[in-house]
Every structure is written in C-alpha cells, then in structure tokens.
Amino acid sequence: MDTIPVFGHNLRATPRMDLYSMRLINVKALLEGEESMKQGERVDRWAKVLEFRDDEATKYAILSHRWIGQEVEYDEIVELAKMAKGKRDEIRQGDGYRKILDSCKQAKKDGHEWLWVDTCCIDKRSSAELSEAINSMYRWYENAQVCYAYLHDVLDSSFPVEFDDYTYANGWPEWFSRGWTLQEMIAPSNVQFFNKTWQAIGDKWMLARTLKKITRVPQHVLRDGLSGDRPCIAQIMSWAANRTTTRVEDRAYSLMGLLDVNMPTLYGEGKKAFHRLQLEIIRTSNDQSIFAWSWDKEVRTGNILADDPSAFRCCSTMELMDPDEFIESLSEDMPEAELGSIEKDRLGTFPITNRGIQIWLFLCPIPGSRSVFRAWLPCRASPSSLPVSIDLCLWKSNYYRYAQLQFRPKRILQFCQVYLRYQDTSHLNAAFIIDDSAITKNGFTCSGAYPAKFAGNSFILTSTDPLCVRFYSNDETGHCFVIGFGQCFGKDWILSLTPLSAPPPIRHCCFLQPITQLHTKITSGTIVLYYSDTMIARSINIRAVFVEIAKNAGSEGSHAQLSPKSSLC
C-alpha cells in the first residue's frame, strides 16, 4: 500500500465498516464483468464487484504493491459497468486496472474467491473509513491466506539477490523502499513475489536470507512474524529508517500495526504523527529502547521523542537487557548503600503526565556542568555490548534530549526520578546583521564560519539552522576568539569563547547589550561588536566549540571542559 488520502464529503452514503469487516473484491464477478466488456457483450450493471466480509471468517488473497499512477479507486471500480464506453475503456487500459485484473486471475488460479486491493477497496473520500482501514491494515494482511507482492520494476524471471544501483534507483526493487510494504512483508505468513509480467519469482520463506540482507529484518521475524521472539521497539523502528512514504504522516501510520498500537489518523499534522505514535507506544509498553534513537550520533537539543524513524537507523541490532543484568553492569559505579535500595520495578514504569514522561533513570552529571547529564538505558546495541547511554539537559525542572558529548564521566551514578519533556520547545526565526567594523579596524578578520552559508554579515537562525559560529583572528598578534549565536529553548543567545592555547586572556570583544539581556534585545536586530578592555569570555578548547556553544543556550555562563570533537574552520 502507498496510500494517498483524499478527503471530502461522500457523494452518497457508503456502508459502515463494522468490527472485523473489510470490503473485498468478488473475484468471479470482476473477471466475468471484464470478459463481457472485452467481448463487447452487455454488462450486468448491478453485479456487486465489492462486498463487505468478515476478515476473521473469510479466506482471501491480498495485494501488496507500489502505487505508480493511474490507480483505480473505489468509485471507479463500483461505477465501471455503468460508465460510458469511452471512459470505461480508458480505465481498463490503465496499469492500475491491469494490476487488479492480473491479481484476480492469480487469486482464481490459487482457488481464492475474494481479493483485497488497497486502491479500490477503501473509499478514501471518507476520512473515517480511511482511518479505520489504516488501523486494521496489519490485521488484514496477517489474516490473508496469501499476499501477492507485485514488483513492477523487476523484469527478470528471478528474484534479485545482489545490490544493483544500475537497474534500481535504490539498489533494490522500489517495493523495498516504501514505508507501507514493511508491514505487508512481515504480517502475512505466506508472501509470494511476482515480477512485472506476473511470473512467480519466489516466496518469503525461500528468500528469507536475501530479504534480511535487503531489509535488515531478522529471518526469524520473516518466518514467524512478531508473535514469537519480539524485537525491542528501537529495532523495529530501525527497519523503517530507510523507507519513504508519499505523506509524512504515513511514516508513523505505517508502523502502528508492527508496534501493536492504534490511534486516529490526522493528515496534516506532519511530524507530530510520529510523536503521537511514540506516546501511544509508551502508554502500552515499558520498553525504554524507544529513547535510544541516534544514541551514537549528534542529535538536536529538544524533546525526548524522535522526529522520524530514520533516527533509529543505528538500532538494527539493539536488544533489551534483563533488569538484574542491567543493574549489575552499572554496579561498580554506584554507592553500595544506594545499590541495595534500588527497586527494579521502577525501571518498567514511566507514565506520561502533562509535565513530561515521569521516569527513573541512572544519571551521571557531566564534569563542570550542573545542567547536563548522561543517562543509561536498559538496552544495548548488540548482545555483547554495554548499556546504551544518552545525554540530557536540565532546563526549568524538565530534562531534554541533548547532543551526545564526548567525555569520560566520573561514573558516580544516581538512580533518580526525572521528567522527560515530550512537548516541542518554541522556536521563532531570528534575523541578524553583524557589524564587526570596530573589530576589523583593530586587525581582526573573520576567518571562518559555520555553517559556511553564514559567512556573510547577515543570517537567519531557524529550527534547522539554530546555530552560527564565527571565528576571528589577528595574524600579527596571534590572538583569536569565537562568537556563537544561537537559539535554544525558545531564547536567543550569544557566547564568546577564547582558546586554551591563546596568550594571556584576550580582551577584544564585548557586546552592545549585557549577555543576560540578549534574548530580548537581538532578535531581528543589529549586533555591534566592539574593541574594548571588557572581557566576557571564558577559556575553552577551541576544537570543542561546536559542541560547547550549542549546549550552553540554557545554562548561562556554565562551561564544561570537553575533549576535542570537531574542527572549527
């Protein structure tokens, strides 16, 4: 399925979908109608091509495919026999209709009287029916007798077993890059693959090893589904990391069945759909791996929820840890008295409140900071690795996800109850003009900027580009300093830093406004840099400035001593 929802009022009343009810194609009625049209005979205008059936009691086949245009929708398949011949023939000659017809022929050959195809079996003019269908989709595929996976771009008579970016845009058939086809591959016990001409090229069982290579889904899941040895939340999310959908909301909706949750569909909500999905998972699961997204990479500072399944790309081999094993792995870094008082049940309880997600975590503060912490989660990246950790920032009594810092914590852990903020922080685009003429007159030049597009004297900070770093140096004196401009937690800020290796503390920079007032004074204004004897800088390793500047938005004047992370220029 590759659903493109269509909203609007129904032109006529449509039957309500009851529990365990799905609209199915009557294979015999469709094929007989097509044969009559092909022979130019009179078509039974009242023959029912679509009927509601109980998906628990009915044996049916189901189609999985990539939408490629010219698809036949519900109203067209229902009204086909009643259409004028010209319009009817136009539909019948399209690829979408031929795909339905060929699916029916295959179903009849396999002895199935009923077939489900997403293009025409859902009346997408009804948002209620569409939402109900999406919430039922995983069950429908799971209950099917057979799933026909139609690979429209495979021309060979055999299944592709090697990466081929010459034949396929993504190296593999397009079916494997779509969000919806992930559950359509996993849910049915019997998946049969067909090439462009409907030649059988293999099934899920015989192709399990190749499918694992393509999708990263373990072979035991491909063979047995998710009812047995169920992977952790983060690993399931990772399977969708490289997949795309036409609508951004479908990145979340296509995962509901795989993650065993239900929620209303609200097209137009954008990435909030994925946030809602994670909250629904948290309400029904005690799996903390849901917080382990991008655990080994730089992340944005903000709410604890991931913005997209791609954030779980690094979690393809992640697994949960037994509570006793998890605590034992951290025991050397905890006071003995506190170790004996830990209640293991607290690890499996984290309710959602209006303040945030209330959770117990093992925390360790970053050296030199009172607001940045490292937290360990009861999951690991692979069977032989240590528990995964993420960094958190304390801001106004709530903890936010924080970019991963490279440091060696003292590892004196505390088991604490905290609130993880799941709501988005506010952000307003801020336009700045830099007037550094006073500095350049005294021998300094701007010799580097990050991002490079902010090298000029005007720039706009946005949610995707919340930071600007400018490096000034004086070749004659050897002095240099860094100015950082940013926005975090809804506030604008400026910070000046000097390198540890610099000569005696430099005193070349100050701002028109005191730093405590900058967040109200610099928005959409001009920042004037002056040469004076007033110093508002703190010494810090210049190579760690990217990390440090981005992390001090909410902790005025609080600096952590960091190891080198990335080069400035």
Side-chain angles (χ1 to χ4, degrees), residues 333-531:
D333 303 303
M334 297 191 64
E336 188 172 344
E338 184 171 350
L339 186 63
S341 65
I342 294 175
E343 298 180 28
K344 289 183 293 185
D345 289 345
R346 289 175 171 174
L347 289 172
T349 305
F350 39 99
I352 299 172
T353 72
N354 59 355
R355 178 177 169 183
I357 299 168
Q358 185 180 12
I359 189 171
W360 285 83
L361 293 173
F362 288 96
L363 295 179
C364 170
I366 287 180
S369 175
R370 293 168 294 181
S371 59
V372 182
F373 300 83
R374 180 152 294 176
W376 278 261
L377 303 174
C379 55
R380 53 193 172 197
S382 62
S384 60
S385 59
L386 295 173
V388 163
S389 65
I390 59 174
D391 287 349
L392 303 172
C393 177
L394 176 62
W395 172 255
K396 293 185 177 180
S397 301
N398 283 317
Y399 287 77
Y400 295 79
R401 187 65 190 271
Y402 209 50
Q404 196 82 357
L405 305 180
Q406 292 189 356
F407 75 104
R408 290 185 175 274
K410 295 180 180 179
R411 291 291 293 264
I412 301 176
L413 305 184
Q414 291 182 317
F415 193 48
C416 309
Q417 186 183 72
V418 300
Y419 287 88
L420 303 178
R421 184 77 171 176
Y422 60 84
Q423 299 91 334
D424 275 327
T425 55
S426 59
H427 185 97
L428 295 175
N429 291 352
F432 298 108
I433 301 175
I434 304 296
D435 181 358
D436 58 3
S437 57
I439 289 179
T440 57
K441 287 179 181 178
N442 284 276
F444 285 88
T445 58
C446 179
S447 52
Y450 175 85
K453 63 183 178 181
F454 289 165
N457 284 343
S458 64
F459 55 87
I460 299 177
L461 297 181
T462 66
S463 58
T464 53
D465 287 309
L467 171 68
C468 172
V469 182
R470 297 171 70 88
F471 182 69
Y472 288 87
S473 61
N474 187 318
D475 293 339
E476 293 184 5
T477 64
H479 291 153
C480 59
F481 63 90
V482 172
I483 305 292
F485 310 90
Q487 188 180 92
C488 195
F489 300 120
K491 295 185 179 295
D492 302 315
W493 54 268
I494 295 179
L495 186 67
S496 65
L497 305 168
T498 64
L500 288 173
S501 57
I506 58 176
R507 300 180 179 180
H508 296 110
C509 175
C510 77
F511 300 97
L512 186 60
Q513 304 293 343
I515 198 163
T516 56
Q517 298 178 15
L518 285 172
H519 67 274
T520 60
K521 298 293 184 180
I522 64 176
T523 301
S524 300
T526 299
I527 304 169
V528 183
L529 306 181
Y530 287 90
Y531 177 91

Side-chain angles (χ1 to χ4, degrees), residues 229-292:
D229 184 12
R230 190 179 183 89
C232 67
I233 298 297
Q235 185 181 151
I236 294 175
M237 292 280 199
S238 75
W239 303 338
N242 296 325
R243 293 175 177 258
T244 59
T245 57
T246 303
R247 299 291 295 267
V248 64
E249 295 88 353
D250 285 336
R251 296 277 274 158
Y253 303 156
S254 62
L255 290 170
M256 291 194 297
L258 290 165
L259 298 165
D260 198 22
V261 297
N262 295 97
M263 65 184 194
T265 57
L266 302 171
Y267 285 98
E269 66 177 328
K271 71 175 184 179
K272 288 183 180 179
F274 194 61
H275 289 174
R276 280 202 300 126
L277 175 68
Q278 292 167 87
L279 292 175
E280 287 298 325
I281 294 168
I282 292 169
R283 289 187 178 97
T284 60
S285 168
N286 61 0
D287 185 340
Q288 290 190 27
S289 73
I290 196 170
F291 304 121

Side-chain angles (χ1 to χ4, degrees), residues 121-184:
C121 291
I122 306 172
D123 186 355
K124 300 176 186 66
R125 298 170 301 177
S126 167
S127 57
E129 179 174 331
L130 177 62
S131 182
E132 188 173 349
I134 287 175
N135 276 273
S136 305
M137 200 80 66
Y138 187 88
R139 188 183 78 245
W140 290 351
Y141 276 89
E142 187 176 38
N143 289 340
Q145 297 296 299
V146 61
C147 173
Y148 302 138
Y150 177 62
L151 310 185
H152 72 279
D153 50 355
V154 175
L155 305 180
D156 294 339
S157 58
S158 59
F159 192 92
V161 294
E162 297 295 338
F163 184 87
D164 180 2
D165 56 1
Y166 178 79
T167 304
Y168 309 107
N170 298 310
W172 298 101
E174 192 177 9
W175 189 86
F176 292 102
S177 68
R178 307 305 298 175
W180 286 103
T181 55
L182 177 61
Q183 70 172 5
E184 295 165 12

Side-chain angles (χ1 to χ4, degrees), residues 293-363:
W293 52 274
S294 297
W295 65 272
D296 63 343
K297 296 179 174 62
E298 281 286 336
V299 300
R300 51 101 176 113
T301 296
N303 76 71
I304 194 64
L305 304 176
D307 293 329
D308 188 84
S310 61
F312 290 90
R313 186 174 287 111
C314 58
C315 303
S316 61
T317 57
M318 186 165 287
E319 64 177 31
L320 296 179
M321 298 181 68
D322 177 79
D324 290 326
E325 182 184 10
F326 172 58
I327 294 172
E328 175 64 26
S329 69
L330 302 176
S331 60
E332 294 182 2
D333 303 303
M334 297 191 64
E336 188 172 344
E338 184 171 350
L339 186 63
S341 65
I342 294 175
E343 298 180 28
K344 289 183 293 185
D345 289 345
R346 289 175 171 174
L347 289 172
T349 305
F350 39 99
I352 299 172
T353 72
N354 59 355
R355 178 177 169 183
I357 299 168
Q358 185 180 12
I359 189 171
W360 285 83
L361 293 173
F362 288 96
L363 295 179

